[in-house]
Amino acid sequence: MRIALTGGIGSGKSAVMDIIRSHGYNCVSSDAINDALLQNPDYIEQIARVFPTALVDKKIDKRVLAKIVFNNNKERKKLNNIAHPIIRNLALEMSDYHGLNFVEVPLLFECGFEVDYDKVVVVTADIETRIERVKARDNRPVTEIKSIINSQIKCYANKKIDYTIENNSSLEDLTEKVEIMLFNLEKANINFR
């Protein structure tokens, strides 16, 4: 069974994936795939051809690229047309195993990739918690973080979500919620086969 894990910026997707991974499940990160691709000269060249200013010292500067595409749908679409098919195919290949396979897909609904998955898990947290997490992690301005959060919220409306994990409390509380979800998914996987 292939399970997508998604959630807005600062919701704690990585923390949830760490807990799932610690239980021995196959876990795939779309962001990790992208990071690996950004070491590949052919991939770098494809992006640099379209976004030459993002090429700094023969590498793609992710912050420069983010500034180019964040508020520009036309530019974002160009990047997505390069990156998403490659990342999508690699994620599906890497999650094609017997049992439960978890794939962290930050832009699951925005890209329509939910069709690739048997179940969808969304990680949520209140907005203030998310802002504080992103500020601490990325040192971004609050206005930019709020803008990202507001753009993401719209993507979850009227979508089929199988599990929602609220991540507003302690790591122990989060671990308990994830373990309950895993138990339920294991039961569902028995019936799925």
Short mmCIF file of all heavy atoms in Angstrom, two decimals, residues 67-119:
data_model
loop_
_atom_site.label_atom_id
_atom_site.label_comp_id
_atom_site.label_asym_id
_atom_site.label_seq_id
_atom_site.Cartn_x
_atom_site.Cartn_y
_atom_site.Cartn_z
N LYS A 67 12.66 32.47 -4.77
CA LYS A 67 12.23 33.87 -4.94
C LYS A 67 11.69 34.11 -6.36
O LYS A 67 10.77 34.88 -6.55
CB LYS A 67 13.38 34.83 -4.64
CG LYS A 67 13.64 34.97 -3.16
CD LYS A 67 14.74 35.96 -2.87
CE LYS A 67 14.95 36.05 -1.37
NZ LYS A 67 16.10 36.85 -1.00
N ILE A 68 12.28 33.43 -7.32
CA ILE A 68 11.83 33.59 -8.71
C ILE A 68 10.42 33.02 -8.89
O ILE A 68 9.57 33.63 -9.53
CB ILE A 68 12.80 32.89 -9.69
CG1 ILE A 68 14.17 33.56 -9.68
CG2 ILE A 68 12.22 32.86 -11.11
CD1 ILE A 68 15.26 32.78 -10.40
N VAL A 69 10.16 31.85 -8.33
CA VAL A 69 8.92 31.14 -8.64
C VAL A 69 7.80 31.36 -7.63
O VAL A 69 6.64 31.09 -7.94
CB VAL A 69 9.17 29.61 -8.80
CG1 VAL A 69 10.21 29.35 -9.87
CG2 VAL A 69 9.55 28.94 -7.50
N PHE A 70 8.12 31.85 -6.42
CA PHE A 70 7.11 31.86 -5.37
C PHE A 70 5.85 32.64 -5.73
O PHE A 70 4.75 32.14 -5.61
CB PHE A 70 7.67 32.35 -4.03
CG PHE A 70 6.63 32.35 -2.96
CD1 PHE A 70 6.10 31.16 -2.50
CD2 PHE A 70 6.12 33.53 -2.45
CE1 PHE A 70 5.11 31.13 -1.55
CE2 PHE A 70 5.13 33.51 -1.49
CZ PHE A 70 4.63 32.31 -1.03
N ASN A 71 5.98 33.85 -6.17
CA ASN A 71 4.80 34.67 -6.48
C ASN A 71 4.55 34.80 -7.98
O ASN A 71 3.85 35.71 -8.42
CB ASN A 71 4.93 36.06 -5.85
CG ASN A 71 4.66 36.02 -4.38
OD1 ASN A 71 3.71 35.39 -3.93
ND2 ASN A 71 5.50 36.69 -3.60
N ASN A 72 5.14 33.91 -8.76
CA ASN A 72 4.99 34.00 -10.21
C ASN A 72 4.54 32.64 -10.75
O ASN A 72 5.34 31.72 -10.90
CB ASN A 72 6.34 34.41 -10.82
CG ASN A 72 6.23 34.70 -12.29
OD1 ASN A 72 5.50 34.03 -13.02
ND2 ASN A 72 6.96 35.70 -12.76
N ASN A 73 3.24 32.53 -11.01
CA ASN A 73 2.68 31.24 -11.44
C ASN A 73 3.30 30.73 -12.73
O ASN A 73 3.50 29.53 -12.90
CB ASN A 73 1.16 31.35 -11.61
CG ASN A 73 0.46 31.41 -10.27
OD1 ASN A 73 0.97 30.93 -9.26
ND2 ASN A 73 -0.70 32.03 -10.25
N LYS A 74 3.60 31.64 -13.65
CA LYS A 74 4.19 31.24 -14.93
C LYS A 74 5.57 30.60 -14.71
O LYS A 74 5.88 29.55 -15.27
CB LYS A 74 4.30 32.46 -15.85
CG LYS A 74 4.78 32.16 -17.24
CD LYS A 74 4.82 33.43 -18.09
CE LYS A 74 5.49 33.16 -19.41
NZ LYS A 74 5.70 34.39 -20.18
N GLU A 75 6.39 31.24 -13.87
CA GLU A 75 7.73 30.72 -13.58
C GLU A 75 7.65 29.42 -12.77
O GLU A 75 8.42 28.49 -13.00
CB GLU A 75 8.57 31.76 -12.85
CG GLU A 75 8.84 33.01 -13.67
CD GLU A 75 9.58 32.72 -14.97
OE1 GLU A 75 10.63 32.06 -14.93
OE2 GLU A 75 9.09 33.16 -16.04
N ARG A 76 6.71 29.37 -11.82
CA ARG A 76 6.54 28.16 -11.02
C ARG A 76 6.14 26.98 -11.90
O ARG A 76 6.63 25.86 -11.73
CB ARG A 76 5.49 28.37 -9.92
CG ARG A 76 5.41 27.18 -8.97
CD ARG A 76 4.41 27.36 -7.83
NE ARG A 76 4.43 28.70 -7.29
CZ ARG A 76 3.34 29.46 -7.19
NH1 ARG A 76 2.17 29.04 -7.59
NH2 ARG A 76 3.42 30.66 -6.67
N LYS A 77 5.29 27.25 -12.86
CA LYS A 77 4.86 26.18 -13.77
C LYS A 77 6.04 25.65 -14.58
O LYS A 77 6.16 24.44 -14.81
CB LYS A 77 3.75 26.70 -14.70
CG LYS A 77 3.10 25.61 -15.52
CD LYS A 77 1.89 26.12 -16.27
CE LYS A 77 1.25 24.94 -16.99
NZ LYS A 77 0.06 25.32 -17.70
N LYS A 78 6.92 26.54 -15.00
CA LYS A 78 8.12 26.11 -15.74
C LYS A 78 8.97 25.17 -14.89
O LYS A 78 9.43 24.13 -15.36
CB LYS A 78 8.97 27.33 -16.15
CG LYS A 78 8.39 28.18 -17.24
CD LYS A 78 9.34 29.35 -17.51
CE LYS A 78 8.74 30.38 -18.42
NZ LYS A 78 9.65 31.55 -18.57
N LEU A 79 9.18 25.55 -13.63
CA LEU A 79 9.97 24.71 -12.72
C LEU A 79 9.27 23.38 -12.48
O LEU A 79 9.90 22.31 -12.54
CB LEU A 79 10.22 25.42 -11.40
CG LEU A 79 10.98 24.61 -10.35
CD1 LEU A 79 12.36 24.23 -10.85
CD2 LEU A 79 11.06 25.38 -9.03
N ASN A 80 7.97 23.44 -12.23
CA ASN A 80 7.21 22.21 -11.98
C ASN A 80 7.26 21.26 -13.17
O ASN A 80 7.32 20.04 -12.99
CB ASN A 80 5.76 22.53 -11.62
CG ASN A 80 5.63 23.19 -10.26
OD1 ASN A 80 6.58 23.22 -9.48
ND2 ASN A 80 4.47 23.74 -9.98
N ASN A 81 7.23 21.83 -14.38
CA ASN A 81 7.28 20.98 -15.58
C ASN A 81 8.61 20.24 -15.71
O ASN A 81 8.67 19.16 -16.30
CB ASN A 81 7.01 21.81 -16.83
CG ASN A 81 5.56 22.21 -16.96
OD1 ASN A 81 4.68 21.59 -16.36
ND2 ASN A 81 5.29 23.25 -17.71
N ILE A 82 9.66 20.81 -15.16
CA ILE A 82 10.97 20.14 -15.16
C ILE A 82 11.03 19.11 -14.03
O ILE A 82 11.34 17.94 -14.23
CB ILE A 82 12.12 21.15 -15.00
CG1 ILE A 82 12.17 22.12 -16.17
CG2 ILE A 82 13.47 20.42 -14.85
CD1 ILE A 82 13.08 23.33 -15.93
N ALA A 83 10.76 19.59 -12.81
CA ALA A 83 11.03 18.80 -11.61
C ALA A 83 10.00 17.73 -11.29
O ALA A 83 10.36 16.59 -10.97
CB ALA A 83 11.17 19.74 -10.41
N HIS A 84 8.73 18.07 -11.37
CA HIS A 84 7.71 17.17 -10.86
C HIS A 84 7.61 15.81 -11.55
O HIS A 84 7.47 14.80 -10.86
CB HIS A 84 6.35 17.87 -10.82
CG HIS A 84 6.27 18.89 -9.73
ND1 HIS A 84 5.21 19.73 -9.56
CD2 HIS A 84 7.16 19.21 -8.75
CE1 HIS A 84 5.43 20.52 -8.53
NE2 HIS A 84 6.60 20.23 -8.03
N PRO A 85 7.69 15.72 -12.87
CA PRO A 85 7.62 14.38 -13.48
C PRO A 85 8.76 13.47 -13.02
O PRO A 85 8.54 12.28 -12.76
CB PRO A 85 7.71 14.66 -14.98
CG PRO A 85 7.28 16.07 -15.15
CD PRO A 85 7.71 16.78 -13.90
N ILE A 86 9.95 14.03 -12.89
CA ILE A 86 11.11 13.22 -12.47
C ILE A 86 10.94 12.78 -11.02
O ILE A 86 11.10 11.60 -10.68
CB ILE A 86 12.42 14.03 -12.64
CG1 ILE A 86 12.64 14.41 -14.11
CG2 ILE A 86 13.62 13.25 -12.11
CD1 ILE A 86 13.72 15.43 -14.33
N ILE A 87 10.61 13.73 -10.14
CA ILE A 87 10.45 13.42 -8.71
C ILE A 87 9.29 12.45 -8.51
O ILE A 87 9.40 11.49 -7.75
CB ILE A 87 10.26 14.72 -7.89
CG1 ILE A 87 11.53 15.57 -7.96
CG2 ILE A 87 9.89 14.40 -6.45
CD1 ILE A 87 11.38 16.97 -7.42
N ARG A 88 8.19 12.67 -9.21
CA ARG A 88 7.02 11.80 -9.08
C ARG A 88 7.37 10.36 -9.45
O ARG A 88 7.06 9.43 -8.70
CB ARG A 88 5.91 12.32 -9.99
CG ARG A 88 4.62 11.54 -9.93
CD ARG A 88 3.61 12.08 -10.93
NE ARG A 88 2.28 11.58 -10.70
CZ ARG A 88 1.23 11.92 -11.41
NH1 ARG A 88 1.36 12.78 -12.42
NH2 ARG A 88 0.05 11.41 -11.15
N ASN A 89 8.03 10.17 -10.59
CA ASN A 89 8.38 8.82 -11.02
C ASN A 89 9.34 8.14 -10.07
O ASN A 89 9.19 6.95 -9.76
CB ASN A 89 8.95 8.84 -12.44
CG ASN A 89 7.90 9.16 -13.48
OD1 ASN A 89 6.72 8.94 -13.26
ND2 ASN A 89 8.32 9.69 -14.61
N LEU A 90 10.35 8.87 -9.60
CA LEU A 90 11.30 8.28 -8.65
C LEU A 90 10.62 7.91 -7.33
O LEU A 90 10.88 6.85 -6.76
CB LEU A 90 12.47 9.24 -8.40
CG LEU A 90 13.47 9.37 -9.55
CD1 LEU A 90 14.43 10.53 -9.30
CD2 LEU A 90 14.24 8.07 -9.74
N ALA A 91 9.73 8.77 -6.84
CA ALA A 91 9.02 8.49 -5.59
C ALA A 91 8.15 7.24 -5.73
O ALA A 91 8.11 6.40 -4.82
CB ALA A 91 8.16 9.69 -5.18
N LEU A 92 7.50 7.09 -6.87
CA LEU A 92 6.66 5.91 -7.08
C LEU A 92 7.52 4.65 -7.18
O LEU A 92 7.16 3.60 -6.63
CB LEU A 92 5.78 6.09 -8.33
CG LEU A 92 4.71 7.18 -8.21
CD1 LEU A 92 3.98 7.37 -9.53
CD2 LEU A 92 3.74 6.87 -7.07
N GLU A 93 8.63 4.73 -7.87
CA GLU A 93 9.55 3.58 -7.95
C GLU A 93 10.05 3.18 -6.57
O GLU A 93 10.12 1.99 -6.25
CB GLU A 93 10.78 3.94 -8.80
CG GLU A 93 10.60 3.80 -10.28
CD GLU A 93 11.87 4.23 -11.03
OE1 GLU A 93 12.99 4.01 -10.51
OE2 GLU A 93 11.73 4.80 -12.12
N MET A 94 10.40 4.16 -5.77
CA MET A 94 10.99 3.89 -4.46
C MET A 94 9.97 3.44 -3.42
O MET A 94 10.34 3.01 -2.33
CB MET A 94 11.72 5.14 -3.96
CG MET A 94 12.90 5.53 -4.82
SD MET A 94 13.54 7.19 -4.46
CE MET A 94 14.28 6.92 -2.86
N SER A 95 8.69 3.53 -3.76
CA SER A 95 7.63 3.13 -2.81
C SER A 95 6.82 1.96 -3.33
O SER A 95 5.68 1.77 -2.92
CB SER A 95 6.72 4.33 -2.51
OG SER A 95 6.06 4.76 -3.69
N ASP A 96 7.41 1.18 -4.18
CA ASP A 96 6.70 0.05 -4.80
C ASP A 96 7.12 -1.26 -4.14
O ASP A 96 7.72 -2.13 -4.77
CB ASP A 96 6.98 0.03 -6.31
CG ASP A 96 6.07 -0.94 -7.05
OD1 ASP A 96 4.98 -1.25 -6.52
OD2 ASP A 96 6.45 -1.38 -8.14
N TYR A 97 6.86 -1.39 -2.84
CA TYR A 97 7.24 -2.58 -2.10
C TYR A 97 6.03 -3.15 -1.38
O TYR A 97 5.05 -2.47 -1.14
CB TYR A 97 8.34 -2.24 -1.07
CG TYR A 97 9.61 -1.74 -1.70
CD1 TYR A 97 9.89 -0.38 -1.75
CD2 TYR A 97 10.50 -2.62 -2.29
CE1 TYR A 97 11.06 0.09 -2.34
CE2 TYR A 97 11.67 -2.16 -2.89
CZ TYR A 97 11.94 -0.81 -2.91
OH TYR A 97 13.09 -0.36 -3.50
N HIS A 98 6.17 -4.42 -1.02
CA HIS A 98 5.13 -5.09 -0.24
C HIS A 98 4.98 -4.39 1.12
O HIS A 98 5.96 -3.94 1.68
CB HIS A 98 5.53 -6.56 -0.04
CG HIS A 98 4.52 -7.36 0.70
ND1 HIS A 98 3.33 -7.73 0.14
CD2 HIS A 98 4.52 -7.83 1.96
CE1 HIS A 98 2.63 -8.41 1.03
NE2 HIS A 98 3.34 -8.49 2.14
N GLY A 99 3.80 -4.29 1.62
CA GLY A 99 3.58 -3.65 2.92
C GLY A 99 3.25 -2.18 2.77
O GLY A 99 2.84 -1.71 1.71
N LEU A 100 3.47 -1.44 3.86
CA LEU A 100 3.15 -0.02 3.87
C LEU A 100 4.35 0.80 3.41
O LEU A 100 5.46 0.62 3.89
CB LEU A 100 2.75 0.44 5.28
CG LEU A 100 1.56 -0.27 5.94
CD1 LEU A 100 1.30 0.34 7.31
CD2 LEU A 100 0.32 -0.18 5.07
N ASN A 101 4.12 1.68 2.45
CA ASN A 101 5.14 2.57 1.91
C ASN A 101 4.65 4.00 2.09
O ASN A 101 3.55 4.33 1.64
CB ASN A 101 5.35 2.32 0.42
CG ASN A 101 5.91 0.95 0.14
OD1 ASN A 101 7.11 0.78 0.07
ND2 ASN A 101 5.04 -0.05 -0.03
N PHE A 102 5.46 4.83 2.72
CA PHE A 102 5.09 6.22 2.98
C PHE A 102 5.91 7.16 2.11
O PHE A 102 7.14 7.02 2.04
CB PHE A 102 5.30 6.56 4.45
CG PHE A 102 4.38 5.81 5.37
CD1 PHE A 102 4.71 4.54 5.81
CD2 PHE A 102 3.18 6.36 5.76
CE1 PHE A 102 3.86 3.82 6.64
CE2 PHE A 102 2.31 5.66 6.60
CZ PHE A 102 2.66 4.39 7.04
N VAL A 103 5.23 8.10 1.46
CA VAL A 103 5.92 9.07 0.62
C VAL A 103 5.51 10.46 1.08
O VAL A 103 4.33 10.80 1.09
CB VAL A 103 5.58 8.88 -0.88
CG1 VAL A 103 6.36 9.88 -1.72
CG2 VAL A 103 5.86 7.45 -1.33
N GLU A 104 6.51 11.25 1.47
CA GLU A 104 6.26 12.63 1.86
C GLU A 104 6.16 13.46 0.58
O GLU A 104 7.12 13.57 -0.18
CB GLU A 104 7.40 13.13 2.74
CG GLU A 104 7.18 14.52 3.28
CD GLU A 104 8.34 14.97 4.16
OE1 GLU A 104 9.24 14.17 4.47
OE2 GLU A 104 8.34 16.16 4.51
N VAL A 105 4.96 14.02 0.33
CA VAL A 105 4.71 14.79 -0.89
C VAL A 105 4.16 16.16 -0.48
O VAL A 105 2.95 16.31 -0.28
CB VAL A 105 3.70 14.06 -1.82
CG1 VAL A 105 3.62 14.76 -3.17
CG2 VAL A 105 4.05 12.59 -2.00
N PRO A 106 5.03 17.16 -0.33
CA PRO A 106 4.57 18.47 0.14
C PRO A 106 3.46 19.09 -0.73
O PRO A 106 2.56 19.72 -0.21
CB PRO A 106 5.83 19.33 0.11
CG PRO A 106 6.95 18.35 0.23
CD PRO A 106 6.48 17.11 -0.49
N LEU A 107 3.53 18.93 -2.04
CA LEU A 107 2.55 19.57 -2.94
C LEU A 107 1.59 18.54 -3.53
O LEU A 107 1.21 18.62 -4.70
CB LEU A 107 3.29 20.31 -4.06
CG LEU A 107 4.23 21.41 -3.61
CD1 LEU A 107 5.00 21.99 -4.79
CD2 LEU A 107 3.48 22.51 -2.87
N LEU A 108 1.17 17.61 -2.72
CA LEU A 108 0.32 16.50 -3.16
C LEU A 108 -0.93 16.98 -3.90
O LEU A 108 -1.18 16.60 -5.04
CB LEU A 108 -0.08 15.65 -1.96
CG LEU A 108 -0.96 14.45 -2.27
CD1 LEU A 108 -0.12 13.33 -2.86
CD2 LEU A 108 -1.68 13.96 -1.02
N PHE A 109 -1.73 17.81 -3.24
CA PHE A 109 -2.99 18.26 -3.82
C PHE A 109 -2.78 19.33 -4.88
O PHE A 109 -3.49 19.38 -5.89
CB PHE A 109 -3.95 18.76 -2.74
CG PHE A 109 -4.36 17.69 -1.77
CD1 PHE A 109 -4.08 17.81 -0.43
CD2 PHE A 109 -5.03 16.56 -2.21
CE1 PHE A 109 -4.47 16.82 0.47
CE2 PHE A 109 -5.42 15.57 -1.32
CZ PHE A 109 -5.13 15.70 0.02
N GLU A 110 -1.79 20.19 -4.66
CA GLU A 110 -1.52 21.27 -5.61
C GLU A 110 -1.19 20.70 -6.99
O GLU A 110 -1.50 21.30 -8.02
CB GLU A 110 -0.35 22.14 -5.13
CG GLU A 110 -0.65 22.93 -3.87
CD GLU A 110 -0.31 22.19 -2.58
OE1 GLU A 110 -0.37 20.95 -2.53
OE2 GLU A 110 -0.01 22.87 -1.60
N CYS A 111 -0.53 19.55 -7.01
CA CYS A 111 -0.09 18.93 -8.27
C CYS A 111 -1.02 17.82 -8.75
O CYS A 111 -0.80 17.26 -9.83
CB CYS A 111 1.32 18.37 -8.11
SG CYS A 111 2.53 19.65 -7.76
N GLY A 112 -2.02 17.48 -7.96
CA GLY A 112 -2.94 16.41 -8.35
C GLY A 112 -2.34 15.01 -8.22
O GLY A 112 -2.82 14.05 -8.83
N PHE A 113 -1.31 14.86 -7.38
CA PHE A 113 -0.63 13.57 -7.25
C PHE A 113 -1.35 12.61 -6.31
O PHE A 113 -0.93 11.46 -6.16
CB PHE A 113 0.81 13.76 -6.76
CG PHE A 113 1.70 14.44 -7.75
CD1 PHE A 113 2.93 14.94 -7.34
CD2 PHE A 113 1.35 14.59 -9.09
CE1 PHE A 113 3.78 15.58 -8.25
CE2 PHE A 113 2.18 15.22 -10.00
CZ PHE A 113 3.41 15.71 -9.57
N GLU A 114 -2.43 13.05 -5.67
CA GLU A 114 -3.14 12.15 -4.76
C GLU A 114 -3.66 10.90 -5.46
O GLU A 114 -3.86 9.86 -4.84
CB GLU A 114 -4.28 12.89 -4.02
CG GLU A 114 -5.44 13.34 -4.88
CD GLU A 114 -5.28 14.75 -5.45
OE1 GLU A 114 -4.15 15.25 -5.58
OE2 GLU A 114 -6.32 15.35 -5.79
N VAL A 115 -3.82 10.98 -6.79
CA VAL A 115 -4.29 9.81 -7.56
C VAL A 115 -3.29 8.65 -7.53
O VAL A 115 -3.65 7.51 -7.81
CB VAL A 115 -4.61 10.18 -9.03
CG1 VAL A 115 -5.73 11.21 -9.09
CG2 VAL A 115 -3.37 10.68 -9.75
N ASP A 116 -2.04 8.93 -7.17
CA ASP A 116 -1.00 7.90 -7.13
C ASP A 116 -1.02 7.08 -5.85
O ASP A 116 -0.28 6.11 -5.73
CB ASP A 116 0.40 8.54 -7.25
CG ASP A 116 0.63 9.23 -8.58
OD1 ASP A 116 0.01 8.83 -9.59
OD2 ASP A 116 1.44 10.18 -8.61
N TYR A 117 -1.84 7.48 -4.88
CA TYR A 117 -1.74 6.90 -3.54
C TYR A 117 -3.05 6.25 -3.09
O TYR A 117 -4.13 6.68 -3.45
CB TYR A 117 -1.30 7.99 -2.55
CG TYR A 117 0.08 8.48 -2.91
CD1 TYR A 117 0.25 9.56 -3.78
CD2 TYR A 117 1.21 7.81 -2.47
CE1 TYR A 117 1.52 9.97 -4.18
CE2 TYR A 117 2.48 8.20 -2.86
CZ TYR A 117 2.62 9.28 -3.71
OH TYR A 117 3.88 9.67 -4.12
N ASP A 118 -2.88 5.21 -2.28
CA ASP A 118 -4.03 4.47 -1.75
C ASP A 118 -4.65 5.17 -0.55
O ASP A 118 -5.85 5.08 -0.32
CB ASP A 118 -3.59 3.05 -1.34
CG ASP A 118 -2.94 2.32 -2.50
OD1 ASP A 118 -3.60 2.17 -3.55
OD2 ASP A 118 -1.76 1.92 -2.39
N LYS A 119 -3.82 5.86 0.21
CA LYS A 119 -4.28 6.60 1.39
C LYS A 119 -3.53 7.93 1.45
O LYS A 119 -2.40 8.04 0.98
CB LYS A 119 -4.01 5.84 2.70
CG LYS A 119 -4.66 4.48 2.80
CD LYS A 119 -6.12 4.60 3.13
CE LYS A 119 -6.73 3.21 3.30
NZ LYS A 119 -8.19 3.28 3.40
#
